[in-house]
Amino acid sequence: MTARITLRRPDDWHLHLRDGAMLEGVLPETARHFGRAIVMPNLVPPVVTGDDARAYRDRIMACLPSGMDFTPLMTLYLTEATDPHDLARAHAEGVVTAVKLYPAGATTNSQSGVRDITRVQPVLEKMAEIGLPLCIHGEVTTPEVDIFDREQVFLDTVLDPLRRAIPALRVTLEHITTSQGIDYVAGASGDIAGTITTHHLMINRNHILVGGIRPHYYCLPVAKRSTHQQALRKAAISGNPRFFLGTDSAPHTDDAKQSACGCAGVFSATNTLSCLAHVFEAEGALDRLEGFTSLFGPARYGLPVADQTITLEKRDTPVPYPARIITGAGPVTLFDPGHPLYWHVIA
Ligand code: NCD
Ligand code: ZN
């Protein structure tokens, strides 16, 4: 008997597409399976103004191979100099779907991010007023705080006070990696949701460090111990609409990853759906996959669910995918779940 599952076409609520040759190389990997994606603004220089977002959206659409159907949902990179009026205009004109908060220094290309959250208070108040969601990279950057504790400390010292100060602010806590993050989002009152990546459902910190260091598993927030991984899996399959997919697929060339100071980011666009079907099946929750990939995100962002569908079929033979894709910017290694995958996207 062949097992098949048909889902409304998925969306990715946290994606890095980069620019130029890298954009051209990775865009089809997402557009093949996903209808829409929230596109991260951490380019160099970052996407800060409405005009920047419009121009970036045009560059993405110009790279989209003909015959592919994909809508990039643009974000602005919040800086301490962000103009609330420009942001409100970009929202009113339908150019931006969300704004991204990077604590300065927290991750790749975050140096233009926010150092002092009180300095962006007027912008956040404006966002609360107009209903523009804030996507948050939830890690403190305080040097004394251990890298494995940075998400948990952020919840108590930044996120909770911020939400108390501006209760109407719509918040998405992105790429949650801890049970504390899951508990916070599940238990908080008010308008909050959380995204979970594919790779954080499949790896924990042992995968990065045991038996040799595996740079392609290094991302931020860094994967935590297995008990946290289990909490993420439980949340993803829970059917709680506050939790949905944001792959955080973040391509870097192999040179940049396989280095004495390798950069953070896991590239998972190509095989993400096969990975997710594997995880949900292993958890006995294939019937919850569609909510996670295709229903809860649109509901959260007030967008229609997709008309199109995608079908996966479980076969005896493994899904063929390359170890790396070749882009004009260089080779990019694909997320390796560590075992074969059998759920093929067939239509
Ligand atoms: C992302 C990137 O490479 O842009 N890296 C990562 O490890 N996730 C940035 C981010 O989302 O933190
Ligand atoms: Zn990211």
Side-chain angles (χ1 to χ4, degrees):
M1 202 192 84
T2 26
R4 278 193 184 181
I5 178 169
T6 295
L7 314 170
R8 243 67 65 91
R9 192 150 187 242
D11 303 302
D12 186 348
W13 301 95
H14 179 135
L15 175 68
H16 299 269
L17 286 174
R18 315 302 190 202
D19 214 342
M22 181 66 93
L23 166 63
E24 206 173 316
V26 300
L27 179 60
E29 302 304 300
T30 287
R32 198 173 294 132
H33 297 154
F34 291 85
R36 295 167 288 204
I38 290 262
V39 180
M40 288 296 125
N42 62 334
L43 305 181
V44 187
V47 178
V48 174
T49 65
D51 283 346
D52 294 343
R54 202 178 274 108
Y56 184 30
R57 186 180 63 187
D58 291 347
R59 295 199 297 281
I60 295 169
M61 292 314 286
C63 276
L64 189 67
S66 63
M68 278 189 160
D69 183 10
F70 175 74
T71 305
L73 303 172
M74 307 312 291
T75 58
L76 295 185
Y77 186 119
L78 183 61
T79 74
E80 291 182 4
T82 293
D83 172 4
H85 301 291
D86 175 69
L87 170 150
R89 195 177 325 117
H91 175 61
E93 291 171 358
V95 178
V96 299
T97 302
V99 173
K100 175 72 186 238
L101 166 64
Y102 290 104
T107 188
T108 309
N109 301 335
S110 62
Q111 52 286 0
S112 317
V114 174
R115 287 192 163 69
D116 175 359
I117 191 103
T118 60
R119 302 192 60 170
V120 293
Q121 180 103 3
V123 180
L124 299 178
E125 278 166 3
K126 177 53 105 180
M127 289 171 58
E129 182 194 316
I130 63 180
L132 179 57
L134 181 68
C135 294
I136 298 184
H137 183 109
E139 289 191 288
V140 294
T141 54
T142 330
E144 305 76 64
V145 176
D146 189 271
I147 191 158
F148 291 101
D149 297 334
R150 287 179 173 199
E151 180 174 298
Q152 183 188 344
V153 172
F154 185 89
L155 302 173
D156 300 332
T157 62
V158 183
L159 183 59
D160 197 56
L162 171 65
R163 295 187 61 252
R164 283 176 200 279
I166 314 176
L169 186 64
R170 313 192 61 209
V171 166
T172 305
L173 181 64
E174 301 201 279
H175 40 49
I176 302 174
T177 57
T178 60
S179 61
Q180 290 87 355
I182 294 294
D183 291 347
Y184 185 85
V185 170
S189 58
D191 197 324
I192 186 160
T195 60
I196 302 176
T197 76
T198 305
H199 52 280
H200 287 122
L201 294 173
M202 299 190 93
I203 64 165
N204 57 61
R205 64 194 194 182
N206 276 12
H207 294 86
I208 310 174
L209 295 170
V210 172
I213 185 158
R214 293 193 169 64
H216 296 290
Y217 288 154
Y218 175 61
C219 69
L220 288 168
V222 68
K224 309 299 191 294
R225 64 171 65 239
S226 133
T227 46
H228 294 288
Q229 182 194 358
Q230 295 317 314
L232 300 177
R233 288 173 78 114
K234 207 168 143 217
I237 64 159
S238 67
N240 181 340
R242 285 189 173 186
F243 297 108
F244 48 84
L245 175 65
T247 66
D248 195 13
S249 180
H252 294 276
T253 60
D254 284 352
D255 279 356
K257 292 289 293 175
Q258 297 164 191
S259 143
C261 185
C263 45
V266 169
F267 175 65
S268 64
T270 313
N271 59 1
T272 272
L273 287 177
S274 298
C275 286
L276 290 170
H278 179 97
V279 168
F280 277 65
E281 183 187 35
E283 296 287 341
L286 268 179
D287 59 325
R288 304 268 168 84
L289 181 58
E290 185 180 37
F292 185 69
T293 59
S294 316
L295 305 181
F296 303 154
R300 164 81 182 154
Y301 281 93
L303 294 168
V305 298
D307 295 330
Q308 295 158 302
T309 60
I310 194 164
T311 298
L312 290 99
E313 182 174 273
K314 190 175 184 188
R315 296 185 177 161
D316 297 334
T317 49
V319 177
Y321 56 83
R324 58 189 59 76
I325 64 162
I326 306 304
T327 76
V332 176
T333 291
L334 190 55
F335 174 60
D336 173 8
H339 50 72
L341 299 167
Y342 296 98
W343 284 94
H344 297 241
V345 178
I346 58 164

